[in-house]
Amino acid sequence: LAKTTQPVSMDSYEGQEVNITCSHNNIATNDYITWYQQFPSQGPRFIIQGYKTKVTNEVASLFIPADRKSSTLSLPRVSLSDTAVYYCLGNRDDKIIFGKGTRLHILP
Amino acid sequence: SQTIHQWPATLVQPVGSPLSLECTVEGTSNPNLYWYRQAAGRGLQLLFYSVGIGQISSEVPQNLSASRPQDRQFILSSKKLLLSDSGFYLCAWTPERNVYGYTFGSGTRLTVV
């Protein structure tokens, strides 16, 4: 079981870069690391997924060290609309298990 | 393109009444399907998942059940609702483990009164 641990909450300011780190000590060799974003009363939305090193898309970057026991989601130049809960996901068989997520609050 | 539909969006039901929430996926075959519940201010709890018709796995003992009568249809049910069944219910699907991100429906807000 790949249990994940991430900070409960974080605050940042508009225009700043935000990094959220997740630990997943028991991640399986063939498991990917996936991050989701959830706004209130909405389903989680896929942000980014990676296996190792660095992945970048139009929304975020994902940094994964060689041992894959942790990952860091990087959000460049956040805005108020990035206020949400961010989940780092672990996998078990064919299921994904959500942790409690990180509640990110962006301040003006 | 693939889409997921979940309804109703909101539901208020009295204690002891039955429940049926439906989820359907379009544009794909043999998806893995999931039901999650989120209590107010909490994370998402996996309730059921299915890798094929008639194949249901339950994650936690509870007052709910799930069925998959067709390949792209997933139903969450209860015979008698409890107050503790209130929450935000989300259906999700994925075509293949670890390759694509999971796609979630828009959710059903259930309030048991």
Side-chain angles (χ1 to χ4, degrees):
Chain A
L1 170 62
K3 181 179 178 180
T4 61
T5 303
Q6 52 185 121
V8 173
S9 64
M10 295 178 64
D11 290 339
S12 187
Y13 292 92
E14 281 192 292
Q16 299 294 308
E17 178 185 74
V18 173
N19 296 310
I20 307 173
T21 297
C22 173
S23 66
H24 27 78
N25 291 322
N26 296 324
I27 192 167
T29 302
N30 59 344
D31 279 348
Y32 280 72
I33 298 159
T34 315
W35 285 78
Y36 282 79
Q37 174 192 58
Q38 186 182 26
F39 298 112
S41 296
Q42 294 185 26
R45 182 177 73 102
F46 173 89
I47 299 176
I48 197 166
Q49 184 180 66
Y51 185 79
K52 60 181 179 181
T53 63
K54 177 183 176 182
V55 178
T56 298
N57 61 22
E58 65 278 5
V59 176
S61 294
L62 180 60
F63 299 91
I64 305 168
D67 65 7
R68 297 188 356 105
K69 293 184 182 298
S70 67
S71 61
T72 298
L73 175 72
S74 181
L75 304 173
R77 298 184 60 79
V78 293
S79 64
L80 294 177
S81 62
D82 292 315
T83 293
V85 178
Y86 292 82
Y87 294 96
C88 162
L89 301 190
N91 294 278
R92 182 180 68 191
D93 300 327
D94 287 313
K95 304 174 290 296
I96 53 172
I97 307 298
F98 280 84
K100 291 181 172 27
T102 296
R103 190 170 298 275
L104 176 64
H105 186 204
I106 305 301
L107 304 167
Chain B
S1 63
Q2 301 93 352
T3 56
I4 180 169
H5 302 281
Q6 188 180 341
W7 67 92
T10 59
L11 192 60
V12 179
Q13 292 283 96
V15 169
S17 65
L19 173 73
S20 181
L21 302 181
E22 188 164 343
C23 172
T24 59
V25 180
E26 296 179 355
T28 188
S29 297
N30 198 31
N32 290 343
L33 297 171
Y34 308 82
W35 278 111
Y36 287 84
R37 176 171 61 196
Q38 187 170 37
R42 306 289 294 276
L44 286 88
Q45 179 186 35
L46 178 63
L47 301 176
F48 300 96
Y49 74 100
S50 172
V51 298
I53 296 175
Q55 300 178 62
I56 309 294
S57 295
S58 175
E59 283 296 294
V60 294
Q62 57 208 322
N63 185 42
L64 302 169
S65 61
S67 62
R68 185 169 177 174
Q70 301 181 41
D71 180 45
R72 291 169 289 177
Q73 182 185 31
F74 205 24
I75 299 172
L76 183 69
S77 304
S78 174
K79 293 182 179 178
K80 290 185 178 181
L81 283 169
L82 306 172
L83 288 175
S84 57
D85 292 323
S86 294
F88 189 47
Y89 289 82
L90 287 156
C91 179
W93 78 278
T94 180
E96 186 174 352
R97 173 178 177 250
N98 284 340
V99 177
Y100 300 103
Y102 287 68
T103 302
F104 285 82
S106 54
T108 295
R109 175 76 58 191
L110 172 66
T111 303
V112 182
V113 296

